[in-house]
Amino acid sequence: MTTSLTLYDIPSTLPSKTWSPNVSKVRYVLNYKGLPHHTEWVEFPDIEGLYKRLGAQASATKPDGVTPYYTLPLLHDHSTGALVSDSAAIARYLDKTYPETPSVIPKGTDAFHYAFTEALQSHFRATALWRITLAKSNSILNPVSEEYYRRTREASLRLGGQKLEDVVPKGEEREREWAKLEEVFGKVDAWYGKGDRYVMGDVVSYADFWVSASLMWVRKLFGVDSKEWKDISRWHGGRWGALVKDLEKYEAVF
């Protein structure tokens, strides 16, 4: 199969460059489907210009509900001219456009996938995961993106003069928040059928890529030998470490 697909991603100082969980979801999908593609790296301050240069439409708005919010992933299908942002929308587009490849949102499961990912996001929002990862995410960016990320996040989060590092939970608070995160993953674990490897049993789907991308994000930020990753990978009978390991073959960056 010959396709001409470009996936736009935000680089980091990590060996693989990639780090964003939202982009990882799309990369999983592309590799699982066996769709040839290549990655173009775009620093944070250049994302808006990329959209405008390509004529792409933002898939979200800022909190005012009006101003376009330009973010990655963005997929450019040169064979059809399509420009698609948002990882779930990209997955649906690829299923529809390349039906001869394995489906990641099987027919009849669209509503399920919407509900599953909404529930996941709702559960994660109830934890301090964003606070735990905020400064760490910033620390692995290239200087031009690091400055942009820090400036815009500190402004949008209204930290009252605090730095990103100041909101990271420490000591006993961090222990409590880490325990809450384990509890949330326990709820997600309960959604799986007994003995099932994947959300839909023995069939990989976009839901699994969503979960694994979030896990892989922690592994990339803190490192494979970190206490954080070792903790998570062992939770709930080792389900999460096993899931990331199982889907490792779809992580390749091209």
Side-chain angles (χ1 to χ4, degrees):
M1 176 188 297
T2 301
T3 60
S4 185
L5 298 164
T6 299
L7 176 62
Y8 295 95
D9 195 355
I10 303 160
S12 73
T13 58
L14 300 174
S16 66
K17 283 192 177 182
T18 188
W19 64 279
S20 166
N22 290 322
V23 180
S24 292
K25 296 168 195 173
V26 176
R27 185 168 283 111
Y28 272 140
V29 172
L30 289 166
N31 288 329
Y32 176 69
K33 286 178 167 293
L35 291 170
H37 62 281
H38 75 280
T39 301
E40 287 196 16
W41 303 100
V42 185
E43 299 287 356
F44 264 113
D46 302 323
I47 294 174
E48 181 175 348
L50 169 72
Y51 269 75
K52 292 179 176 179
R53 175 170 59 82
L54 295 177
Q57 298 297 311
S59 60
T61 59
K62 293 183 177 181
D64 63 12
V66 177
T67 308
Y69 180 55
Y70 300 103
T71 187
L72 299 183
L74 176 67
L75 183 79
H76 190 180
D77 188 340
H78 302 275
S79 63
T80 66
L83 291 156
V84 191
S85 61
D86 180 76
S87 56
I90 293 171
R92 292 181 171 90
Y93 168 81
L94 292 172
D95 270 355
K96 180 180 180 180
T97 308
Y98 301 98
E100 70 280 11
T101 65
S103 177
V104 296
I105 303 180
K107 187 176 181 179
T109 70
D110 203 67
F112 159 76
H113 275 84
Y114 269 119
F116 184 87
T117 55
E118 283 296 313
L120 275 173
Q121 291 183 82
S122 177
H123 279 315
F124 284 144
R125 279 194 291 266
T127 74
L129 182 61
W130 71 273
R131 291 172 57 202
I132 293 170
T133 56
L134 192 63
K136 198 70 176 177
S137 295
N138 190 63
S139 72
I140 53 92
L141 296 175
N142 290 319
V144 64
S145 284
E146 189 278 338
E147 185 280 330
Y148 178 92
Y149 187 93
R150 177 180 295 280
R151 172 168 46 82
T152 57
R153 295 309 186 272
E154 289 178 351
S156 65
L157 294 172
R158 298 172 182 171
L159 300 183
Q162 294 185 97
K163 299 296 183 183
L164 298 181
E165 293 79 5
D166 297 331
V167 302
V168 177
K170 301 174 180 66
E172 292 184 0
E173 182 190 7
R174 183 183 177 89
E175 291 179 11
R176 288 194 300 271
E177 294 298 341
W178 200 250
K180 286 182 185 178
L181 185 63
E182 181 178 4
E183 182 181 343
V184 162
F185 271 107
K187 292 177 181 178
V188 178
D189 176 60
W191 297 347
Y192 288 71
K194 187 175 181 180
D196 286 346
R197 293 171 63 192
Y198 307 121
V199 175
M200 296 181 62
D202 59 355
V203 178
V204 176
S205 70
Y206 177 73
D208 300 296
F209 296 148
W210 207 106
V211 175
S212 188
S214 301
L215 293 163
M216 187 170 63
W217 179 44
V218 175
R219 188 194 69 187
K220 283 181 174 290
L221 290 183
F222 292 95
V224 70
D225 295 320
S226 66
K227 181 181 184 302
E228 288 83 357
W229 174 244
K230 287 180 178 178
D231 280 351
I232 290 178
S233 64
R234 287 194 291 256
W235 288 346
H236 311 111
R239 175 184 291 282
W240 312 119
L243 177 64
V244 173
K245 183 67 177 176
D246 186 50
L247 300 182
E248 203 169 50
K249 53 186 172 289
Y250 305 123
E251 290 183 24
V253 177
F254 296 104

